[in-house]
């Protein structure tokens, strides 16, 4: 698997997008968390100085958009230091947070450090989701954070992850977003990696649910007009063409895991046979341009049929490698979301199973909440 | 849309940033979780939108810099488009 593959590819451009997953620690336990299942066993987090070095090296390479996420990035008490350094280097800084821990003194310090943008993710567990929708404590927390975000003159950008257990509440979610004064709302359907993959059977919505949610969104859009922009991201299991995942692995996106492992996509760590180097051992330049792991899925040399001879391959890059691996066991296969894939039935069958189980008993199987023991906590 | 008051003073929209990126050999406009790489004429116009100069000033300045005349319609059309996309805001 290793070695110099994909050398038909011309030299890639710079990693314009840099994502730092500062920590896997998080006070929440989302059922759809995209962190790896075994995140409890990932090595020691990078120290402040190591993150600053990553920022410097990335900026020299040409990175300019910076995402700071996790886990919950506010768990790191050096977040302000990291933002300040990034700002000084010329990054456009985006904080992706659940809002837990975003107090006024910290927001003020982040603003002063030069933070450009905040995305408040409504990433919450099902239990809390119900709390939330019945307007209890977590609603108060989010509202308080939303008010702070406005006070410090950031646009209020809300990201809500949808799945079977909350998709029927889209209208309430949008009403709540309106009450919070949201400028943008992204209703993003769960992507099935990490914890969400483990919980897929319980999280995949039915077609009827999806349609209802889209209708509700359209009605809401009509009522509020342009004052609140709403994006609805359809789960790709319901499509017949894959998404151009990461605009192609190793083309623009570079992610650094809490322990310093460099990845072409946050979930790529699960791909077998690839040794992703750590920023503790190698320079970012050599990792991006020369490491076999980053070169493995560049270009088209790795592709199998039907992608290899498909006219779409330059546009969608054959879809998502992680999804191909999870569904077929071979990361070089065509993404089974594609209707041309010989494995497409794996996707349609999963959707059909979801239809049946949603109709029978919504929570027939136990669900694993993200935790440090690999998911032993059950609802 | 499409009509701009030449006495208005365009400025880069709130939350956006315009900067030169050596790695891309281009000016880019940065906004939340995204960016656009600007071509030379777009960059020539946007770098002059500092909230002080009027549209008329910008046209005159560009005509001087490129030793040409009659740029007004193109510049105005671009500024109108940029306002529509919220890249620019017009100040009185
Ligand atoms: S998805 Fe939920 S549990 Fe996972 S890091 Fe985000 S907030 Fe924490
Ligand atoms: S066969 Fe491959 S390249 Fe063609 S549309 Fe499907 S995923 Fe894309």
């Amino acid at each position: 698997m290793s070695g110099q593959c994909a050398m038909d590819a011309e030299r890639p451009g710079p990693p314009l997008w840099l994502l730092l997953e500062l920590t896997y620690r998080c006070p929440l336990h989302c059922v759809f968390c995209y962190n790896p299942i075994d995140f409890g066993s990932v090595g020691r987090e990078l120290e402040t100085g190591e993150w600053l070095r990553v920022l410097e090296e990335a900026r020299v390479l040409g990175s300019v958009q910076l995402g700071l996420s996790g886990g919950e990035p506010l768990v790191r008490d050096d977040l302000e230091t990291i933002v300040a350094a990034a700002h000084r280097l010329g990054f456009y800084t985006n904080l992706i947070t659940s809002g837990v821990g975003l107090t006024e003194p910290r927001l003020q310090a982040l603003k002063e450090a030069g933070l450009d943008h905040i995305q408040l993710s409504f990433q919450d567990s099902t239990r809390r989701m119900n709390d939330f929708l019945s307007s209890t404590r977590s609603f108060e927390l989010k509202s308080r954070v939303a008010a702070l975000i406005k006070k410090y003159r950031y646009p209020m950008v809300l990201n809500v992850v949808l799945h079977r257990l909350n998709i029927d509440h889209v209208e309430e979610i949008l009403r709540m977003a309106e009450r919070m004064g949201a400028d943008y709302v992204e209703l993003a359907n769960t992507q099935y990696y990490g914890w969400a993959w483990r919980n897929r059977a319980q999280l995949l919505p039915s077609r009827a649910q999806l349609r209802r949610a889209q209708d509700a969104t359209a009605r809401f859009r009509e009522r509020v007009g342009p004052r609140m922009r709403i994006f609805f991201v359809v789960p790709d299991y319901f499509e017949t063409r894959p998404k151009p995942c990461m605009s192609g692995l190793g083309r623009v996106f570079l992610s650094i895991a809490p322990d310093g492992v460099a990845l072409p996509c946050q979930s790529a760590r699960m791909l077998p046979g690839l040794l992703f180097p750590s920023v503790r051992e190698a320079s970012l330049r050599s990792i991006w341009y020369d490491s076999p792991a980053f070169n493995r899925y560049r270009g088209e040399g790795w592709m199998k049929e039907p992608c290899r001879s498909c006219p779409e391959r330059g546009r969608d890059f054959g879809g998502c490698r992680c999804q191909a691996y999870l569904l077929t066991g071979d990361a070089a296969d065509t993404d089974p979301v594609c209707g041309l894939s010989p494995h497409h039935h794996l996707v349609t069958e999963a959707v059909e199973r979801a239809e049946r189980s949603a109709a029978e008993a919504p929570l027939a199987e136990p669900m694993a909440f993200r935790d440090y023991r690999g998911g032993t906590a059950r609802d | 849309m499409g009509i701009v008051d030449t006495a208005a003073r365009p400025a880069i929209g709130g939350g956006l940033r315009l900067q030169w990126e050596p790695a891309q050999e281009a000016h880019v406009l940065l906004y939340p979780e995204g960016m656009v790489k600007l071509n030379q004429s777009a960059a020539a116009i946007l770098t002059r939108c500092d909230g002080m100069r009027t549209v008329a000033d910008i046209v005159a300045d560009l005509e001087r810099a490129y030793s040409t005349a009659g740029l007004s319609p193109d510049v105005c059309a671009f500024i109108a488009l940029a306002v529509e996309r919220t890249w620019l805001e017009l100040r009185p």
Side-chain angles (χ1 to χ4, degrees):
Chain A
M1 284 291 268
S2 66
Q4 301 302 93
C5 310
M7 279 298 120
D8 56 324
E10 80 279 30
R11 189 170 167 85
L16 299 174
W17 241 112
L18 176 68
L19 178 71
L20 305 183
E21 293 191 297
L22 295 174
T23 178
Y24 283 145
R25 289 175 288 150
C26 180
L28 304 180
H29 305 277
C30 301
V31 284
F32 49 77
C33 182
Y34 43 75
N35 285 170
I37 298 275
D38 60 351
F39 68 92
S41 61
V42 165
R44 191 166 48 85
E45 282 177 17
L46 294 187
E47 324 225 328
T48 314
E50 292 174 302
W51 284 121
L52 299 190
R53 184 171 54 75
V54 168
L55 287 173
E56 275 164 33
E57 286 185 32
R59 190 70 187 116
V60 172
L61 281 184
S63 301
V64 60
Q65 276 289 349
L66 176 69
L68 298 165
S69 80
E72 174 47 64
L74 285 159
V75 167
R76 298 261 326 196
D77 57 15
D78 56 359
L79 181 62
E80 291 82 347
T81 312
I82 291 168
V83 168
H87 179 71
R88 227 176 300 119
L89 289 164
F91 280 103
Y92 192 92
T93 51
N94 304 273
L95 176 65
I96 298 145
T97 175
S98 69
V100 179
L102 193 58
T103 58
E104 176 147 16
R106 287 204 82 179
L107 184 50
Q108 191 173 358
L110 287 166
K111 182 95 194 183
E112 277 160 21
L115 182 68
D116 290 297
H117 175 65
I118 301 172
Q119 187 200 92
L120 185 60
S121 293
F122 176 10
Q123 293 169 314
D124 228 342
S125 72
T126 336
R127 256 180 309 212
R128 283 161 181 268
M129 168 64 78
N130 294 326
D131 286 1
F132 189 93
L133 289 170
S134 54
S135 292
T136 51
R137 249 182 319 166
S138 72
F139 178 69
E140 279 158 35
L141 166 83
K142 300 280 178 185
S143 305
R144 209 168 344 106
V145 170
L148 273 179
I149 288 176
K150 290 231 145 187
K151 176 170 173 191
Y152 285 85
R153 303 172 57 86
Y154 288 108
M156 173 59 206
V157 179
L158 198 66
N159 175 287
V160 185
V161 179
L162 295 182
H163 45 74
R164 184 193 303 169
L165 305 164
N166 68 7
I167 194 166
D168 289 329
H169 303 298
V170 154
E171 212 169 317
E172 280 119 296
I173 292 171
L174 287 172
R175 263 207 299 275
M176 164 209 88
E178 190 187 13
R179 268 187 287 152
M180 282 167 39
D183 299 296
Y184 298 90
V185 181
E186 187 176 84
L187 298 168
N189 275 275
T190 305
Q191 304 281 341
Y192 295 98
Y193 311 109
W195 289 82
W197 169 257
R198 168 170 290 200
N199 291 315
R200 187 183 66 167
Q202 291 85 13
L203 294 178
L204 203 58
S206 71
R207 278 179 207 282
Q209 282 185 302
L210 189 62
R211 214 172 310 113
R212 280 199 300 273
Q214 283 174 302
D215 290 347
T217 306
R219 278 197 304 276
F220 200 89
R221 258 196 212 116
E222 212 160 288
R223 184 170 70 69
V224 297
R227 124 181 96 87
M228 189 169 120
R229 299 254 192 101
I230 310 166
F231 303 95
F232 191 97
V233 186
V234 177
D236 61 1
Y237 272 52
F238 294 86
E239 313 262 23
T240 50
R241 282 293 177 272
K243 301 210 162 76
C245 188
M246 295 289 132
S247 313
L249 278 191
R251 284 170 52 108
V252 289
F253 187 84
L254 171 62
S255 176
I256 312 292
D259 57 347
V261 169
L263 300 163
C265 156
Q266 295 116 285
S267 68
R269 204 166 187 155
M270 69 164 131
L271 295 175
L274 297 180
L275 240 180
F276 288 107
S278 164
V279 298
R280 283 190 166 121
E281 297 142 16
S283 74
L284 222 46
R285 178 177 295 278
S286 69
I287 292 172
W288 179 256
Y289 288 109
D290 306 325
S291 71
F294 271 77
N295 279 314
R296 178 70 179 85
Y297 295 108
R298 280 187 175 135
E300 296 173 352
W302 56 270
M303 284 182 182
K304 306 204 320 196
E305 291 297 350
C307 294
R308 185 186 275 278
S309 56
C310 178
E312 296 285 298
R313 66 186 186 281
R315 200 189 52 78
D316 66 23
F317 314 102
C320 172
R321 296 306 91 226
C322 296
Q323 193 143 276
Y325 171 63
L326 282 172
L327 285 160
T328 76
D330 183 349
D333 272 338
T334 296
D335 184 338
V337 159
C338 181
L340 302 173
S341 157
H343 297 106
H344 185 60
H345 64 94
L346 296 173
V347 170
T348 49
E349 282 161 13
V351 171
E352 275 151 32
R353 263 198 310 279
E355 302 275 334
R356 276 199 303 276
S357 79
E360 284 158 14
L363 261 180
E365 289 171 62
M367 183 147 50
F369 281 84
R370 172 199 149 120
D371 66 34
Y372 288 85
R373 293 169 307 264
T376 47
R378 298 289 163 138
D379 198 18
Chain B
M1 279 298 152
I3 299 161
V4 246
D5 176 2
T6 51
R9 300 169 200 277
I12 300 297
L16 280 76
R17 205 159 74 221
L18 176 68
Q19 67 190 37
W20 171 256
E21 282 298 301
Q24 299 177 62
E25 294 180 358
H27 277 94
V28 298
L29 194 61
L30 299 161
Y31 51 84
E33 295 170 47
M35 75 178 124
V36 269
K37 186 170 166 177
L38 300 170
N39 64 24
Q40 270 186 16
S41 26
I45 299 170
L46 289 178
T47 47
R48 287 168 169 82
C49 295
D50 53 8
M52 316 283 282
R53 282 181 257 209
T54 64
V55 174
D57 292 341
I58 292 168
V59 170
D61 193 23
L62 286 165
E63 289 177 345
R64 213 173 312 121
Y66 294 91
S67 328
T68 176
L71 290 183
S72 190
D74 287 350
V75 174
C76 289
F78 177 81
I79 289 178
L81 182 75
V83 169
E84 203 179 299
R85 293 190 180 160
T86 70
W87 296 353
L88 287 176
E89 49 197 39
L90 294 177
R91 300 188 184 160

